[in-house]
Amino acid sequence: MTTSGPQGERAGGPEGGQRGAPTGARPRRRAPAGAAVLREDVTQAIRDAVFEELASVGYARMSIEGIARRAGVGKTAVYRRWRSKLHLVLDLVSAIAVQGLPAPDTGSLEGDLRLLYEVTSRALRHPVASQIIPDLQAEAARNPEIAEALQKALREGQHGVASGIVRAAVERGELREGADQELALDLVSGPLYWRSVVVRAQLPKGYLGRLAAATAAGLRAL
């Protein structure tokens, strides 16, 4: 009998083998292997387990065994999806880049910046994010593949939204055309990241509003 949920895949769900066939009976055709039969609920359980495991023990001590145990599946279920813990983490980081942040549309540059900072600040304060980001940064210094994935995630996520804010401000006439785009993106994304992730200092009351106003003034000066 198969069980439901993530454990069922290991115990004989779509990815398990055939069980209980009578002796001498013609074997049934095996279900096709590969991504087409991978259960999405199991995949999501593994992804959730990776984030929890990263926050709990860090990348260096994280293991496929620990991930599988936390997800309630066998190691085979993990290896059918990813070749190693490195590929698993790279896939998750890349997925974050694809999801991105919601694009603010308040009608003003300062309002867009304030909303972006509020959303980003809440995300960076999440206990899991506050543990995982510094750990992956440390690993990125030693592993070029992780460094490349993190850079891609930041550029396609945070920078993608920041460039949209700058572009909208140019179209509204709040910023001049032809400003240094890379410098503009650094101004938008850098200060809050520095304060929240590098210094890891608590934000004082009213900080995000003052940061939005100062950033808007800096962008207008470009």
Side-chain angles (χ1 to χ4, degrees):
M1 181 180 69
T2 62
T3 58
S4 59
Q7 189 74 16
E9 179 175 309
R10 183 183 66 179
E15 290 182 48
Q18 301 291 342
R19 294 190 177 187
T23 304
R26 177 180 296 179
R28 290 178 292 173
R29 178 180 295 179
R30 292 178 61 86
V37 297
L38 297 182
R39 285 175 47 183
E40 182 55 35
D41 62 326
V42 175
T43 302
Q44 188 57 50
I46 295 171
R47 289 191 177 114
D48 293 342
V50 171
F51 282 116
E52 295 170 4
E53 198 72 357
L54 277 171
S56 176
V57 303
Y59 177 83
R61 294 174 57 197
M62 185 177 74
S63 66
I64 295 297
E65 290 82 358
I67 294 168
R69 182 169 55 252
R70 193 180 288 270
V73 301
K75 290 190 296 181
T76 302
V78 181
Y79 282 120
R80 279 176 175 155
R81 291 162 173 83
W82 298 278
R83 298 199 306 271
S84 66
K85 73 173 186 178
L86 172 61
H87 291 91
L88 176 48
V89 170
L90 292 178
D91 179 60
L92 292 183
V93 171
S94 299
I96 293 173
V98 173
Q99 292 173 3
L101 295 168
D105 186 16
T106 66
S108 73
L109 173 60
E110 191 170 327
D112 286 352
L113 290 170
R114 174 65 183 268
L115 184 55
L116 172 65
Y117 292 151
E118 288 175 352
V119 172
T120 304
S121 177
R122 284 197 298 270
L124 293 176
R125 287 200 308 268
H126 191 282
V128 173
S130 65
Q131 293 293 328
I132 289 176
I133 293 175
D135 186 60
L136 288 182
Q137 283 180 316
E139 288 299 327
R142 299 184 285 268
N143 191 313
E145 289 183 278
I146 291 181
E148 182 180 355
L150 279 178
Q151 183 181 35
K152 185 171 184 263
L154 290 172
R155 181 164 297 277
E156 295 185 6
Q158 180 80 13
H159 273 35
V161 175
S163 63
I165 291 175
V166 171
R167 184 168 56 252
V170 170
E171 293 172 354
R172 289 192 299 260
E174 294 182 90
L175 298 177
R176 70 176 184 86
E177 292 191 45
D180 187 328
Q181 287 294 304
E182 287 299 316
L183 182 55
L185 297 183
D186 288 344
L187 280 175
V188 172
S189 304
L192 182 58
Y193 182 81
W194 168 264
R195 183 85 181 224
S196 299
V197 178
V198 180
V199 178
R200 305 188 74 164
Q202 185 174 359
L203 302 182
K205 185 177 180 179
Y207 176 83
L208 296 180
R210 295 195 301 273
L211 177 60
T215 303
L219 291 172
R220 286 192 286 267
L222 293 180

